[in-house]
């Protein structure tokens, strides 16, 4: 019996020591901002001044430049987007920021997979970033238990231990920082070379389809975002950001998603823009210089696209009808598209 009690006591002590040690290691990650998506301090400092938000996944994070939004629209904007951002994550961030800022406009990015991404199947990657993006212990704990599945706890533990160890290495080498220096109001310049942008368009034309099975929690949180913006009297604009010509050519069901979002916009009195369909896209956003990969804009392309976006908004604000600037469908776009690079 004494041996059993001693073993239990040893296990308890071990777990307490492990918990304290793990918390200390993880804290090196959570109290600093050494990963590109950690930006809670800048958002806190700007709290009470922001009136224009962009929110979405990596398409929006790599697509909207706040410096150009501010200059062209006369706003104080912030890009809340993050890689693999779930619809729940978008709602939680918007709920936080709309409650502490005089927001007038929210741009919600909706892509081909915004409604079909299955959180149960894809795992917690986006929520790992989200927990790093949030500031404060209680908001993180609340989000953790609302978004993370018990089967994912081990992966989450490993991820934050690994991040913490990396941050401790930065402390040792004097490169650790408590405030993000990589983002500019949520935007990070992005550029890399991608061989997949060099394709024979005739060979790949309509050879693939995107998944069309809707994941119902995405619809639930989209409706929550719409309701939140209405409650706060905030204008909500739905936007699909540009994809490379390679991608537009390769996939044959992009009209399906356009029709989904048009229906959402029409049912809720919102404006929806699909910038793959703007008529001068191929001229202004060529794959060779505007895109870093087949799905994401590079820094130069992001600047061009953001200016295209603000031009449309300014024309709308002046009372102009901008519908003629866009093709009515992907089918119409493709009838005008050349398949030569």
């Amino acid at each position: 019996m004494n041996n059993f009690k001693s073993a239990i006591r040893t296990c308890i002590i071990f777990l307490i020591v492990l918990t304290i040690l793990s918390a200390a290691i993880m804290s090196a990650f959570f109290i600093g901002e050494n990963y590109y998506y950690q930006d809670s301090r800048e958002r806190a400092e700007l709290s009470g001044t922001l009136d224009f938000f962009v929110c979405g996944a990596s398409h929006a994070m790599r697509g909207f430049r706040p410096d150009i939004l501010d200059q062209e629209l006369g706003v104080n904007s912030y890009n809340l987007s993050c890689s693999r951002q779930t619809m729940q994550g978008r709602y939680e961030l918007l709920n936080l920021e709309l409650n502490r800022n005089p927001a007038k406009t929210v741009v919600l990015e909706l892509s081909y997979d915004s409604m079909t991404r299955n959180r149960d199947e894809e795992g917690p990657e986006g929520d790992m970033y989200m927990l790093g993006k949030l500031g404060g212990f209680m908001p993180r704990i609340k989000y953790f238990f609302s978004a993370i599945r018990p089967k994912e706890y081990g992966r989450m533990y490993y991820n934050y231990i690994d991040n913490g160890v990396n941050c401790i290495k930065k402390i040792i080498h004097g490169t650790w920082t408590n405030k993000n220096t990589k983002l500019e109001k949520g935007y990070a310049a992005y550029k890399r070379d991608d061989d997949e942008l060099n394709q024979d368009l005739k060979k790949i034309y309509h050879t693939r389809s995107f998944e069309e099975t809707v994941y119902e929690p995405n619809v639930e949180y989209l409706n929550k975002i719409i309701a939140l913006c209405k409650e706060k009297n905030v204008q909500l604009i739905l936007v699909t950001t540009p994809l490379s010509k390679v991608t537009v050519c390769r996939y044959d069901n992009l009209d399906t998603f356009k029709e989904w979002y048009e229906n959402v916009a029409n049912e809720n009195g919102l404006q929806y823009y699909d910038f793959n369909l703007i008529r001068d896209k191929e001229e202004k956003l060529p794959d060779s210089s505007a895109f870093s990969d087949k799905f994401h804009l590079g820094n130069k392309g992001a600047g061009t696209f953001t200016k295209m976006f603000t031009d449309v908004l300014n024309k709308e604000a002046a009372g102009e009808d901008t519908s003629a600037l866009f093709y009515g469908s992907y089918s119409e776009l493709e009838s005008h598209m050349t398949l030569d690079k």
Side-chain angles (χ1 to χ4, degrees):
M1 179 63 72
N2 288 335
N3 288 339
F4 178 74
K5 289 181 178 179
S6 177
I8 293 295
R9 185 164 53 250
T10 300
C11 287
I12 292 173
I13 293 172
F14 172 77
L15 289 174
I16 291 173
V17 171
L18 178 63
T19 299
I20 293 172
L21 181 61
S22 296
I25 293 172
M26 291 182 190
S27 68
F29 167 74
F30 282 111
I31 66 175
E33 292 189 350
N34 294 273
Y35 285 72
Y36 77 92
Y37 49 85
Q38 293 180 287
D39 64 345
S40 62
R41 285 188 173 84
E42 181 180 26
R43 288 187 285 113
E45 289 174 1
L46 292 170
S47 176
T49 70
L50 298 168
D51 56 11
F52 192 107
F53 289 100
V54 174
C55 194
S58 56
H59 296 88
M61 179 181 68
R62 304 301 189 187
F64 288 94
R65 285 181 47 179
D67 59 328
I68 296 175
L69 291 173
D70 293 352
Q71 178 180 338
E72 299 295 326
L73 298 177
V75 297
N76 190 13
S77 66
Y78 202 95
N79 191 334
L80 296 173
S81 310
C82 190
S83 296
R84 309 302 296 171
Q85 188 69 274
T86 65
M87 294 302 292
Q88 179 182 358
R90 300 180 207 196
Y91 169 75
E92 295 294 348
L93 277 175
L94 285 171
N95 190 42
L96 168 65
E97 298 302 343
L98 296 192
N99 277 309
R100 65 180 186 178
N101 285 284
K104 297 178 182 178
T105 305
V106 165
V107 175
L108 182 68
E109 174 264 325
L110 295 173
S111 66
Y112 53 85
D113 66 349
S114 294
M115 292 295 102
T116 61
R117 281 176 52 200
N118 188 314
R119 173 62 179 79
D120 297 319
E121 294 177 355
E122 75 176 22
E125 181 183 354
D127 289 326
M128 288 179 180
Y129 302 147
M130 177 69 178
L131 287 166
K133 197 172 184 68
L134 288 171
F137 179 75
M138 288 310 298
R140 288 175 181 141
I141 288 295
K142 180 180 177 182
Y143 189 82
F144 181 93
F145 286 108
S146 70
I148 306 303
R149 284 65 166 161
K151 66 180 181 180
E152 298 167 346
Y153 288 177
R155 181 176 172 184
M156 301 296 288
Y157 175 81
Y158 173 82
N159 176 76
Y160 293 128
I161 286 291
D162 185 56
N163 287 357
V165 169
N166 288 335
C167 287
I168 289 172
K169 291 178 181 177
K170 289 179 179 290
I171 293 173
I172 294 171
H173 292 101
T175 58
W176 185 92
T177 179
N178 70 342
K179 186 174 180 181
N180 195 310
T181 58
K182 299 176 182 178
L183 294 179
E184 295 179 9
K185 299 178 79 176
Y187 173 79
Y190 185 56
K191 177 59 183 172
R192 68 183 178 88
D193 296 325
D194 189 341
D195 290 340
E196 287 200 62
L197 289 170
N198 298 312
Q199 298 280 326
D200 186 330
L201 299 181
K202 293 178 182 178
K203 286 186 177 180
I204 67 170
Y205 184 73
H206 282 192
T207 55
R208 297 184 188 177
S209 301
F210 283 117
E211 173 63 53
E212 295 183 12
T213 303
V214 173
Y215 182 61
E216 287 304 321
N218 292 334
V219 179
E220 174 189 348
Y221 278 100
L222 173 58
N223 289 333
K224 284 187 174 184
I225 290 171
I226 293 171
L228 174 66
C229 290
K230 287 181 178 179
E231 176 191 341
K232 299 295 183 182
N233 197 28
V234 170
Q235 179 189 21
L236 177 62
I237 301 171
L238 310 181
V239 172
T240 296
T241 57
L243 298 166
S244 68
K245 185 177 179 181
V246 165
T247 298
V248 172
C249 285
R250 175 176 281 145
Y251 291 88
D252 63 3
N253 59 339
L254 290 169
D255 267 322
T256 297
F257 310 105
K258 174 184 178 292
E259 290 167 7
W260 286 0
Y261 302 139
E262 281 183 334
N263 289 337
V264 170
N266 291 335
E267 290 170 3
N268 292 280
L270 307 175
Q271 188 65 51
Y272 168 64
Y273 302 102
D274 187 337
F275 278 87
N276 288 301
L277 298 179
I278 196 161
R279 291 179 183 271
D280 55 358
K281 172 180 175 284
E282 190 168 351
E283 173 191 349
K284 292 185 176 180
L285 295 172
D287 285 9
S288 59
S289 60
F291 290 86
S292 283
D293 60 44
K294 57 186 180 291
F295 297 117
H296 302 98
L297 291 159
N299 190 48
K300 181 179 178 181
T304 302
F305 162 63
T306 307
K307 183 63 168 60
M308 294 166 72
F309 172 72
T310 59
D311 286 347
V312 169
L313 289 199
N314 282 329
K315 287 177 180 177
E316 291 277 358
E320 296 183 38
D321 181 2
T322 62
S323 59
L325 298 177
F326 296 83
Y327 291 111
S329 66
Y330 282 87
S331 297
E332 183 184 357
L333 163 65
E334 289 163 4
S335 71
H336 291 81
M337 183 185 293
T338 62
L339 295 184
D340 296 319
K341 294 297 283 184

